[in-house]
Amino acid sequence: MNSSLTSGASQAWAALGADSSLFDLVSYGGPSGGRPARLPVMELARATVAVCSLAAAELTSVRTGRPVPRVQVDDEAVATAFLSDRLVRVDGQAWSTFSPLSRFWRATDGWVRTHANYPHHRARLLAALGVPEGVGGDEADAVGQAIARLPALEVEETVYTAGGLAVAARSPEDWAMSEQGVMVAGQPLLTTARIDDAPARMLGGAALPCAGLRVLDLTRVLAGPVATRTLALLGADVLRIDAPQLPESQEAHNDTGMGKRSTALDLGEATDRGLFEGLLNMADVVVTGYRPGALERFGLTPEALAECRPGLVIAQLSAWGRYGPWHERRGFDSLVQVATGIAELEGSPDSPGVLPAQALDHGTGYLLAAGVLRALTEQHRTGGTRLVRLALTQTAHWLVHDLAAVPGEDEGFDAEHWLTETASPMGRLRHTLPPVSYEGGPVNWARPPGLLGTNAPVWGGA
């Protein structure tokens, strides 16, 4: 085995507090491919899928009483899976992952990247820049002209104050010297904690590691849904909950809704809150992906969740981390790339660049799933409500500063080997196959995604 293949995965496995001897069970195969990048994106992808697969294998051993099965990581499957949001099709039709106003813009002293995929974010961006809505094809021109008159940091602050999303492009050095960057650099890749002495919730025998477990999925967009999609693959009953007043993308759900059901509940409304608490009282795992403060205003802190349902596994994901001056800011993979200097590293003297995939999202998603799986294993052994926390910026710091490139990772790969089609309520669905793999494990999800928000708020599909 090439030891360089396992360096990133060894770091991630250590961050999960796991038994290092189990890593001897991991091997790698398939064409060593990916997409061209200056940063070691393929090593990040390979490492995060490897630790997720090994955590699944470890929990499988707990459930079956048999030795931990071996893990095989296929580079071609991994590279394809990290493009799942771009490869999904319904009746042959693709979807655009970014709106026309989600892009780079030239400011007076540098570059700004905006995110306006959701209608409310688009409206706030336009309002912050003084651009009237509904100007048709001139809208992008008007936004460009408004930004071109301002310094990049002024655009960032103006749009943020209005509740929109815009981030000034920074160099890695500028980010490292910023208050938020300094705090990110002082954090581990992820954190795990035991927050009480709840008794062990013993897991019965089952072929799949998450069989019989109930997961409340309070996540959006990509990283969180990738994590819960993986838990669904491994047998969990995953119920995604969205707020009915917030718009969400069916197209994104076509990719990340594999194996799940989804419903809509307004946590600020008494009847829906009662339904949510009934679900929580029977849940085993709660995964959240909203910015810090968004769910806490409904009383859904880890401590409150643990008091309501002792012995939960709680997994929390944020963009910027739950600390520092940016902790309550909204954020997405593309914006984290710009703030942390990744866009500069991947760009040219003429313009910023991007990673060849939403690798921070996908990688953090597999790490989040791995954290949940390891927490379930430790909880089975010694009890306690468990808390796992990750941030896209911490994954970005790992990518820029800690991972080593692997020779040959820019070679091409054939995604067709890892694509399949199935019937779905939306039409004929083409999707990627899961990269998480171990001996005897599942090779596909049990069900395709459905129409977003149309399932009843009950467990078990009843």
Side-chain angles (χ1 to χ4, degrees):
M1 182 190 300
N2 184 341
S3 61
S4 65
L5 290 178
T6 68
S7 61
S10 296
Q11 295 168 24
W13 192 241
L16 290 164
D19 180 357
S20 61
S21 68
L22 292 180
F23 215 71
D24 293 338
L25 298 171
V26 180
S27 59
Y28 299 83
S32 181
R35 292 292 181 92
R38 294 189 177 95
L39 291 166
V41 175
M42 190 59 201
E43 175 62 3
L44 178 147
R46 177 187 295 118
T48 56
V49 170
V51 297
C52 187
S53 300
L54 186 55
E58 180 188 31
L59 186 55
T60 297
S61 175
V62 168
R63 302 295 299 270
T64 62
R66 300 170 187 159
V68 178
R70 298 193 66 83
V71 167
Q72 173 74 27
V73 179
D74 188 293
D75 276 3
E76 198 167 65
V78 170
T80 304
F82 267 59
L83 293 170
S84 66
D85 50 307
R86 303 180 188 182
L87 295 173
V88 67
R89 301 285 186 275
V90 175
D91 292 333
Q93 297 298 307
W95 66 290
S96 176
T97 54
F98 288 101
S99 77
L101 297 185
S102 296
R103 48 167 282 194
F104 287 105
W105 309 87
R106 174 78 80 171
T108 60
D109 60 350
W111 292 88
V112 172
R113 177 134 194 180
T114 55
H115 194 287
N117 288 3
Y118 289 110
H120 56 300
H121 292 160
R122 172 182 165 276
R124 292 167 186 170
L125 172 68
L126 295 175
L129 297 174
V131 175
E133 289 197 60
V135 294
D138 296 329
E139 191 173 80
D141 289 340
V143 168
Q145 291 171 16
I147 291 176
R149 292 192 292 266
L150 300 170
L153 288 174
E154 184 175 338
V155 175
E156 178 181 281
E157 289 303 319
T158 300
V159 175
Y160 166 70
T161 300
L165 293 127
V167 172
R170 290 164 170 81
S171 68
E173 295 76 19
D174 286 341
W175 174 252
M177 290 187 295
S178 70
E179 184 177 354
Q180 191 69 30
V182 168
M183 297 192 75
V184 169
Q187 296 290 321
L189 174 59
L190 56 89
T191 59
T192 62
R194 174 175 175 157
I195 62 176
D196 65 17
D197 294 321
R201 186 175 296 164
M202 303 304 292
L203 301 173
L208 290 177
C210 293
L213 298 178
R214 300 184 177 102
V215 178
L216 281 177
D217 178 1
L218 304 175
T219 69
R220 307 183 79 200
V221 192
L222 198 49
V226 164
T228 51
R229 178 181 72 182
T230 303
L231 299 177
L233 169 76
L234 300 171
D237 180 9
V238 179
L239 180 62
R240 172 168 167 162
I241 298 178
D242 285 286
Q245 64 271 27
L246 289 178
E248 191 47 278
S249 167
Q250 176 66 47
E251 289 80 8
H253 190 63
N254 294 342
D255 170 41
T256 60
M258 300 297 302
K260 308 177 191 178
R261 293 175 299 110
S262 78
T263 193
L265 292 175
D266 182 353
L267 298 184
E269 192 274 325
T271 299
D272 281 7
R273 180 58 186 252
L275 291 170
F276 174 81
E277 290 178 355
L279 294 166
L280 177 61
N281 286 334
M282 299 178 67
D284 301 289
V285 179
V286 176
V287 184
T288 71
Y290 288 75
R291 65 189 174 94
L295 293 176
E296 284 81 354
R297 65 193 178 95
F298 296 109
L300 300 181
T301 63
E303 294 75 18
L305 291 169
E307 183 176 353
C308 178
R309 177 68 165 159
L312 272 176
V313 170
I314 303 162
Q316 294 183 318
L317 165 74
S318 62
W320 307 106
R322 307 182 76 86
Y323 45 79
W326 284 33
H327 76 281
E328 289 190 341
R329 292 198 177 197
R330 298 171 178 86
F332 296 92
D333 181 315
S334 59
L335 301 181
V336 173
Q337 289 186 42
V338 171
T340 59
I342 290 174
E344 179 175 296
L345 293 172
E346 292 292 337
S348 70
D350 298 325
S351 65
V354 297
L355 296 176
Q358 297 285 94
L360 304 181
D361 267 334
H362 284 275
T364 306
Y366 289 113
L367 285 176
L368 188 64
V372 169
L373 295 166
R374 287 247 60 253
L376 288 165
T377 293
E378 294 300 328
Q379 184 188 68
H380 174 84
R381 292 170 176 165
T382 61
T385 301
R386 303 283 173 156
L387 176 62
V388 182
R389 282 178 169 165
L390 294 93
L392 297 184
T393 46
Q394 290 162 209
T395 304
H397 184 86
W398 186 48
L399 172 65
V400 173
H401 297 283
D402 299 326
L403 291 179
V406 175
E409 69 175 15
D410 289 348
E411 297 171 8
F413 67 100
D414 186 358
E416 292 299 321
H417 292 165
W418 297 95
L419 294 170
T420 190
E421 289 191 357
T422 188
S424 79
M426 294 73 65
R428 193 71 184 169
L429 178 70
R430 188 187 81 170
H431 64 89
T432 61
L433 290 167
V436 173
S437 176
Y438 58 90
E439 286 183 353
V443 297
N444 202 349
W445 288 271
R447 63 162 69 89
L451 294 172
L452 193 65
T454 58
N455 296 109
V458 296
W459 289 117

